[in-house]
Amino acid sequence: MGQVPITPRNIKFALGGEDKRNWFAGDPVRTAILDGASILFPYGEGKFIESVIHFRDRITDPRLLADINAFAAQEGVHSREHRRYNKAIEAFGGDIARLEKRLRDVVEKMERRGVSPEYKLALTCAFEHFTAMLAHELLADPHFLDGAEPEFARLWRWHAIEEAEHKAVAFDVWNQVGPKGLRGYLMRVRAMLRATRIFTSQTRFNTHVLLRERGQTNVLRNARRILHFAVIRPGLLRRSFGVYLSYFRPGFHPWQHDDRHLIEQHKNSYAAEPVIAAE
């Protein structure tokens, strides 16, 4: 079960108004990377909620049931706020609806092939591992958001705190309802490999499209700067790689990587207002 209380925070962020097309320290590449990731969240987090809620009737542990409801509430607000975020950044350049549809098409094609609810849950566990890794790096590096527009930085820290809080919920449900033994392990591994392809390819594609549509047309220069962000500074992928590989251990659990100190360090910056749990 979770190691910290999962607290849904019903916050609305003020992201519209003046042109903040390079809101991340005036850097169009850093801005486009996070904007490209944001495009995935409204649809993606809705699917995460569906995959976990599908199994709620099979869960008897009252604490895990409470965690499921809090997870759904948090993800519901994340989806709402990133939808508002995406609407705000559309003014900077980029056909957000087309990029969102690209992800939706991938998921719907997979669903037409008849994947099981258990496999969808395994995918959610894998994506939640990605968001937990990125949340850890964002919260652990005090300079990660240096120079960012305050409200954008505030949104990303809020999102990171809540991803850290609920990072084990889908996995705990999986441990209750997923296939056991070698079959379950192999399903979890296959799901992580697919989630890796989807997350990296969609984010990379979104970033390049946003840069091009915002006037940054030097593809090779953009690619070098994206690689620098991922591997050198701040080096998200480099710093997260060991944690990523840990997911492939048979006995893995998300709270083997303890983020409680980071949550405690940052959570008091955000008012906790009640959110109605998703049905």
Side-chain angles (χ1 to χ4, degrees), residues 9 13 77-78 154-162 270:
R9 300 164 179 84
F13 296 89
V77 179
H78 296 176
R154 185 168 172 258
L155 180 147
W156 281 107
R157 288 196 185 96
W158 157 80
H159 195 159
I161 290 165
E162 296 199 351
Y270 298 86

Side-chain angles (χ1 to χ4, degrees), residues 134-142 144 156-158 160-162 164 259 262-263 265-266:
L134 299 178
H136 175 90
E137 294 304 327
L138 190 152
L139 295 174
D141 181 355
F144 183 91
W156 281 107
R157 288 196 185 96
W158 157 80
I161 290 165
E162 296 199 351
D259 294 312
L262 295 175
I263 295 168
Q265 179 181 336
H266 292 281

Side-chain angles (χ1 to χ4, degrees), residues 114-217:
V115 296
S116 68
E118 288 78 11
Y119 184 72
K120 292 178 185 178
L121 180 61
L123 280 172
T124 293
C125 292
F127 282 115
E128 286 293 303
H129 188 58
F130 267 101
T131 55
M133 288 190 301
L134 299 178
H136 175 90
E137 294 304 327
L138 190 152
L139 295 174
D141 181 355
H143 302 295
F144 183 91
L145 289 166
D146 280 0
E149 289 284 344
E151 198 71 351
F152 282 91
R154 185 168 172 258
L155 180 147
W156 281 107
R157 288 196 185 96
W158 157 80
H159 195 159
I161 290 165
E162 296 199 351
E163 289 297 331
E165 286 178 348
H166 73 228
K167 66 180 180 176
V169 175
F171 203 92
D172 288 337
V173 174
W174 166 262
N175 280 340
Q176 293 288 320
V177 304
K180 306 305 179 191
L182 182 61
R183 178 169 171 259
Y185 173 73
L186 292 177
M187 182 181 288
R188 182 164 68 82
V189 167
R190 287 196 304 272
M192 173 53 86
L193 294 175
R194 174 172 272 178
T196 301
R197 291 195 301 273
I198 293 172
F199 184 82
T200 56
S201 65
Q202 293 280 333
T203 303
R204 184 174 62 248
F205 182 87
N206 290 351
T207 301
H208 278 287
V209 169
L210 291 175
L211 284 168
R212 183 177 67 248
E213 297 188 4
R214 295 172 180 178
Q216 304 291 323
T217 56

Side-chain angles (χ1 to χ4, degrees), residues 67-89:
D67 285 350
I68 290 169
N69 290 337
F71 164 85
Q74 283 189 335
E75 294 287 53
V77 179
H78 296 176
S79 181
R80 182 195 75 196
E81 288 307 294
H82 278 278
R83 190 173 294 109
R84 296 177 67 245
Y85 176 123
N86 296 345
K87 184 66 175 176
I89 65 173

Side-chain angles (χ1 to χ4, degrees), residues 4-5 8 23 44 71 95 105 109 113 214 224 234 270 279:
V4 298
W23 63 261
F71 164 85
D95 187 343
D105 288 346
K109 181 179 179 180
R113 293 175 177 172
R214 295 172 180 178
R224 286 196 300 270
Y270 298 86
E279 294 297 334

